Amino acid sequence: MLAFDPSSVFLSTYLLAQEEAEAVAEGGFDIVTLLNQALNGVGIVGILLLTGLGLAITFGVMRIINLAHGEFIMLGAYVTFVFQDAFGMDLLMTIPFAFLVTAIIGAVVELTIIRRLYGNPLETLLATWGLSIVLQGVVKLIFTAQLKYVKAPPYLSGNLPLLSDDAGGALISISYYRMFIIAVALALLGLTMYLFYKTSWGRQIRAVTQNRDMAKCLGVNTKLVDMGTFAYGCGLAGVAGAVISALKTVAPPMGQDYLVDAWMVVVTGGVDKLIGVLAGSLLIGEANAVIAFILNDPTARVIVLAAVIVLIRYRPEGLFTIQKRS
Amino acid sequence: MAKPHVSDTNLNRRKFIQYGSLAVGSTIVAACTGGGSGPSESADLGEDPIKVGVMYSTTGTIAIVEKSLQDATFLAIEQINTGTGPWEANGAGIAGKKIEKVVVNPDSNWDLYNQMSKRLIDEDQVVCVLGCYTSASRKSVLPVFEEKDAILYYPVYYEGNECSSNVFYTGAAPNQQITDSIPYCYENFGPKGFFIGSDYIYPKESNRIAKAELEKAGGTVVGDEYAALGTTEFITIINKIKAAKPDFVLSNLVGDSIPAFYRQFKDAGITSDDIPIMAYPTTEEEIQAMGPEYSTGHYTSFNYFQTVDTPENKAFVEQFKAMFGKGRVTNGVMEAAYLQTFFMAQAMKKILEEGGELTPGNIREATRGQEFDAPQGKVKIDPDNYHTYLYSRIGKWKEDGQAEIVFATDAAVKPIAWSQTLYKGRVCEHTTPDDRSDPTKETGKDLEPVFL
């Protein structure tokens, strides 16, 4: 649905843009640049969706205030780096490994830390915060603080021109890599929704989060479900880290950058419905892109953050939450 | 964060204090222990070593750069203590005394720089301090050094407009980096520049000076954009660059923003032939992290590149790699951190050989006018303004991640602390001996470039 959205905009404004394109003056506020920016917003949305999805599981479904989410993204990026560096693997090939390794680390963390803190949100918050410091420290000890190089797959370089001027120069275009990120994000969202709403594992997860004791009575192995779900959420964060590693910077503190964004996305979208994460990232990504274009990046961040705070003041459950009795 | 279900938590005050203090404690421990593992910590330092503070962050966002400055400083101290490298002729130590480094890690937190510099001076009683990278951290410690009359050696290119009796600036002043690179851009790329940078003092001031230089040359600035420190999403800024159609981009982005920007710049379909990037903070190390395929054809203006052809540089690169690994590269800030350690050692040697005490006043007078055959060539501390005579060079990045030097001055350029385009004729002249009075002087005249 998302992927078609911008192209329909193009169709309706195609003629207008074509005329405008010919009369493109130097600089200024022309429609082509604005359309480009809207498309750029889609690129930002892809990254937000990808990095927010794991948190939608660990916080949205499991209610764990997971401040180490960014570090799992960082771990995924480092797994990609290691596999590329040691075995010369293509970035795409390393994605399953990024998922597996971060999921296993997530399972260990659940087993040793999170499991003992269910029902104590504040202590979970402190524990995961500590965990994030530890994970950063460990990665820095092993790999040093230097930035790491991850090679982007060559076949994903280049741009898809959506609108060209007479000379054949691309006026509106989106890079293949950004499209790849959006595709991965949407595919993972689809897969996760399928897992949660169509499989018995998903039903068990939802049963456990809604009424743990009752689920236990009915024979659900709640401990295994908890561990599996947390590991899956961490694995998704790992995939996000692997995919963005070639476009961003790989360094021990990189996760912090995504943590706040991921939280904004999940909180805005609403924590009960997985589709909320798509809505949240669309809203925040596009708002960010448009405001940043009109004003500038730091201001856009301030405005969007302030807007999210206002939003959760009036709708603490987020935008996409069904009203239910407590 | 919105958390509607916290009301049933069984958290009580005692537990909060327990966990809270645990968390705070662990952060402090993490911040304090990060840097204490120098390579020669266990070495025998003999009797009565000279205590020198080394203050670089090895954790936090700016650790990426500051860790390499620390490495270069450690290499220099190691060479001084063992009498190897450039120190070979002087024997081990400084007039027989070894350097004991007191390492602190301010965790990329500007306030901690302030606190830790106080600690170094008051509690550890170091003779002087080598450290800081960002202008924000230098501004944070400056009052401490001035109030306690202690000496800081600061190894970083910076925006200028500062002149202190307590700081030796061994990185480039504006006239050693901006003054040559902007006319170069104007002549080779065109009149329209788009300026970007990280959102703090140095990039903003540096871009302000560059803007004045470009306008003086006859060009215009068609855009001016800043991103928060640590930002890795540049799609909006790149779109604005596309829309403004500049002839070149001037980048003052720092830290982990650099690789992300270059990658997304190329990913957005802009080549170095379309719009070349001229940068100051982009060095060999960031190029290595982003992959040379993203930087090929772009430019950096700096005093030093790993490809500088001097015997001193060959030795420096070799020794650095031997100590820290073959995969490492050297860059301009590291070279400055390295050479300033020798300025310090030479000054101390002079004092000790004359039978003096290592007081801040003596170190200040002894450091003024020191010369050193650095990897970049012969450099000298300007006795008037405590900045350093440095070479001005422009490098074009090649496919192997190293720079082809396309512009270089024949000798080190005399530093001018104040941008002459913004403050015409304003110079800085400390008295001899320095009585720490205000050194700023208005000459009102155009200053001719002076070479060493």
Side-chain angles (χ1 to χ4, degrees), chain A residues 33 37 40 63 120 122 126 140 145-147 149-150 159 175 178 245-249 257 292-293 295 298 316, chain B residues 2 5 10-11 19 58-59 64 226 232-233 236 239-240 243 256 263-264 267-269 285 288-289 291 293 328:
Chain A
T33 313
Q37 186 60 16
N40 285 342
R63 298 300 160 114
N120 303 333
L122 263 170
L126 289 174
K140 190 174 295 159
Q146 278 181 291
L147 303 167
Y149 167 57
V150 171
N159 277 266
S175 91
R178 298 262 178 193
S245 63
L247 199 62
K248 304 271 185 134
T249 308
D257 204 25
F293 183 71
L295 300 165
Chain B
H5 305 287
N10 57 1
L11 183 96
Y19 287 99
T58 49
T59 50
I64 292 147
Y226 297 90
T232 52
E233 182 60 73
T236 306
N239 191 34
K240 286 186 184 176
D256 30 4
R263 285 178 162 190
Q264 290 164 30
D267 188 59
E285 202 154 43
Q288 193 183 32
E293 66 265 34
R328 293 287 296 271

Side-chain angles (χ1 to χ4, degrees), chain A residues 114-160:
Chain A
I114 311 282
R115 170 159 301 180
R116 291 153 215 281
L117 299 171
Y118 284 123
N120 303 333
L122 263 170
E123 290 164 32
T124 318
L125 183 148
L126 289 174
T128 50
W129 183 35
L131 179 69
S132 79
I133 296 172
V134 169
L135 286 177
Q136 275 191 46
V138 169
V139 167
K140 190 174 295 159
L141 280 178
I142 301 174
F143 298 101
T144 76
Q146 278 181 291
L147 303 167
K148 293 292 178 215
Y149 167 57
V150 171
K151 191 177 185 323
Y155 45 86
L156 282 179
S157 72
N159 277 266
L160 177 71

